[in-house]
Amino acid sequence: MRRGLLGATLLAVGAVTALAVLALIPPAARPMLPGDAIARGEALEQALVAAVTKVRDPAGETWAIAIDPADVNAWLATRLPKWIEHDPSLAPFERATTVRISAADGALIVDAPVGPEALGLVGTLRMPVALDDSPGAKLTVDIGATRIGLLPVPISDAGWEVAGALADELARFEARYPERRLRLADGRLVEVRAISCEDGRIKIRFATLPAAASGR
């Protein structure tokens, strides 16, 4: 009887140890910041502003960009903190400065610290993202597989408050910009038409519309 109890205890200890090891081993593919993060973060910001404000066909023009997730990570780590410092209303986004993303077929892979900082645990969340250019289409972001290190965990156990925060931000964005349109200083409208994720890049299609545009 004692031998059986000892065996069960050893199995339980072994299982707990294995789970702890899996949780502490970060996934091998976790994205790292590029060595020139400051320059790349600034370059991404400048390129986006230039693309959005570019003089285009007065009758309207559709255009697209492809973004390297490494550039997004560089911007989050180096430029977002400066924006938050400049505008305190952006403080809720402070946790995003530690997030690292990558792109896979049809999804964003989001990595961020979870739990007590001293443990150094990293949570990974797969978020399928889709937006097509059909009339009335809505941006959808689903919560897929989650893990801490190499250990699969339920979303409720992963400390992923960021998932709920992202859903809230998307709802606010959709409510404020139901047509996903932003008005430029000269009155033109820039509309987000489609978003898709591929291995190693995020593709976004826009339309720049004349100031008097209403509807598609």
Side-chain angles (χ1 to χ4, degrees), residues 20 22-32 98-101 109-125 146-153 157-160:
L22 285 174
L24 290 169
I25 298 177
R30 188 189 183 202
M32 303 296 292
T98 62
V99 166
R100 302 289 179 266
I101 70 169
I109 310 301
V110 184
D111 287 351
V114 296
E117 184 177 352
L119 292 179
L121 298 178
V122 175
T124 302
L125 175 68
T146 58
R147 64 181 186 271
I148 295 179
L150 298 181
L151 176 66
V153 294
D157 296 338
W160 274 104

Side-chain angles (χ1 to χ4, degrees), residues 196-212:
S196 61
C197 295
E198 300 177 355
D199 288 338
R201 63 179 180 172
I202 304 163
K203 297 175 66 175
I204 308 175
R205 187 160 68 253
F206 299 86
T208 298
L209 307 172

Side-chain angles (χ1 to χ4, degrees), residues 58-193:
E61 181 178 337
T62 300
W63 50 280
I65 59 174
I67 301 176
D68 184 338
D71 292 332
V72 177
N73 293 333
W75 187 88
L76 290 171
T78 65
R79 294 298 297 164
L80 180 55
K82 294 184 180 299
W83 280 100
I84 293 172
E85 182 180 354
H86 176 72
D87 184 355
S89 70
L90 298 175
F93 296 98
E94 185 172 3
R95 290 199 330 168
T97 62
T98 62
V99 166
R100 302 289 179 266
I101 70 169
S102 57
D105 186 21
L108 287 177
I109 310 301
V110 184
D111 287 351
V114 296
E117 184 177 352
L119 292 179
L121 298 178
V122 175
T124 302
L125 175 68
R126 187 177 190 277
M127 302 183 67
V129 177
L131 173 65
D132 61 41
D133 57 2
S134 60
K138 295 290 185 181
L139 173 62
T140 59
V141 178
D142 297 322
I143 306 304
T146 58
R147 64 181 186 271
I148 295 179
L150 298 181
L151 176 66
V153 294
I155 182 65
S156 59
D157 296 338
W160 274 104
E161 296 90 348
V162 67
L166 177 59
D168 291 342
E169 287 303 321
L170 286 175
R172 278 193 284 269
F173 180 83
E174 290 280 357
R176 186 174 180 183
Y177 305 104
E179 296 181 307
R180 292 183 299 277
R181 291 178 175 179
L182 302 176
R183 186 176 297 276
L184 302 180
D186 60 6
R188 290 178 301 157
L189 301 172
V190 175
E191 180 180 297
V192 178
R193 286 283 178 88

